[in-house]
Amino acid sequence: MISPITPKLTLVGAGPGDPELITLKGILALGKADVILYDALVDKALLKHATENAIKVFVGKRHGCKWNPQQDTNKLIVEYALKHGHVVRLKGGDPFVFGRGAEEIDYVQQFGIETEVVPGITSSIAVPAYQGIPVTKRGVSESFWVITGTTSSGQLSRDVQLATQSTATVVILMGTRKLPEIVAAFRQGGRENTPIALIQSGTTSEEKVVAGHIHDIEHKVQASGIGAPAVIVIGDVVRESPKLMEVYREAISV
């Protein structure tokens, strides 16, 4: 007798890039999946945790290139769940940190499909950590902001302007192409000498980093060739990194 199909969606955070940073619960979910829909920033090595018969579908969007509009992905989740059963939506970082996971949950639940969320390690903390940058440190930073660099309208988030007035560490995701605007906002707030770092493809073998201050970071980024996807970290904690101390030692001696 053929078992009836029980549709289910599990959102799984794959972590910031290094495939070893996925959680054990995420790996177990992949092993139970009938279908896996995965993003561009997900390391394909993670697909090895799936069964041989699992259907694997790429639904990624990268560098502003929309391979699948979000509404198409939402529909695919429902179609595969109703036809095959357990769908794992494998998303980079954490599904609920600028991952549009909440939107997918909202859409799927309209069809009475069971949903589950497996949190992932977010790049906003892990990528700086791999470079030795603590987003908080006693006596240096007592809080941190995580802000999207580009809103749904394509504009720089207004929260960046507010963040320039705070002593908190500021972590900006999806903001590489908005760097001139980010720099201008911090300059306007009198923060020209604030340390800043851009980390491209963090936690992966292609990781690149450039560090400096608000007043010179645009020149350094241009010279380094760093681009998206990158995490931007702004604040005094950047100079606390053992890996970046030489940058700031040179700056002091100049």
Side-chain angles (χ1 to χ4, degrees):
M1 179 181 294
I2 300 175
S3 300
I5 292 173
T6 303
K8 178 180 178 179
L9 164 66
T10 302
L11 289 184
V12 175
D18 183 339
E20 294 184 0
L21 289 178
I22 192 172
T23 64
L24 175 58
K25 193 174 184 71
I27 290 174
L28 294 175
L30 289 171
K32 299 174 184 176
D34 297 304
V35 182
I36 299 172
L37 306 182
Y38 63 97
D39 283 346
L41 295 179
V42 169
D43 192 311
K44 290 184 180 180
L46 291 175
L47 300 179
K48 296 178 182 178
H49 296 292
T51 63
E52 184 178 341
N53 296 326
I55 300 169
K56 306 170 186 70
V57 183
F58 175 74
V59 291
K61 296 180 284 291
R62 194 167 191 176
H63 301 346
C65 176
K66 295 186 177 180
W67 182 269
N68 280 76
Q70 184 63 50
Q71 59 268 31
D72 290 352
T73 299
N74 293 346
K75 292 176 182 177
L76 281 175
I77 293 172
V78 173
E79 290 173 8
Y80 278 115
L82 294 177
K83 185 176 181 179
H84 298 284
H86 185 197
V87 174
V88 165
R89 179 72 172 95
L90 189 60
K91 306 171 76 68
D94 180 274
F96 282 0
V97 181
F98 303 125
R100 306 189 73 171
E103 296 175 41
E104 294 174 358
I105 291 284
D106 290 344
Y107 183 85
V108 168
Q109 286 185 331
Q110 297 177 68
F111 298 85
I113 296 173
E114 179 187 354
T115 62
E116 182 180 359
V117 179
V118 179
I121 297 175
T122 173
S123 61
S124 59
I125 298 173
V127 168
Y130 259 49
Q131 282 298 321
I133 302 172
V135 291
T136 64
K137 184 176 181 179
R138 188 166 61 172
V140 180
S141 174
E142 59 191 31
S143 61
F144 64 97
W145 297 51
V146 181
I147 307 173
T148 178
T150 306
T151 64
S152 57
S153 65
Q155 304 301 309
L156 180 68
S157 172
R158 289 183 295 178
D159 285 344
V160 172
Q161 189 67 51
L162 295 174
T164 66
Q165 306 305 309
S166 171
T167 58
T169 303
V170 180
V171 180
I172 301 177
L173 307 182
M174 300 172 289
T176 309
R177 292 181 175 84
K178 299 290 187 182
L179 182 61
E181 295 177 55
I182 293 167
V183 166
F186 276 83
R187 282 183 178 275
Q188 186 177 356
R191 303 282 298 280
E192 293 90 346
N193 294 318
T194 302
I196 177 173
L198 277 78
I199 309 163
Q200 177 184 325
S201 302
T203 78
T204 74
S205 58
E206 288 81 37
E207 183 176 76
K208 294 173 63 178
V209 61
V210 61
H213 297 85
I214 289 294
H215 65 78
D216 63 8
I217 194 63
E218 287 184 90
H219 171 73
K220 286 190 169 186
V221 167
Q222 186 176 17
S224 70
I226 277 186
V231 172
I232 300 173
V233 191
I234 305 171
D236 288 337
V237 292
V238 176
R239 66 162 60 96
E240 297 295 315
S241 166
K243 295 184 178 182
L244 302 177
M245 282 184 176
E246 197 63 32
V247 174
Y248 297 103
R249 188 176 296 119
E250 291 175 358
I252 293 171
S253 63
V254 171

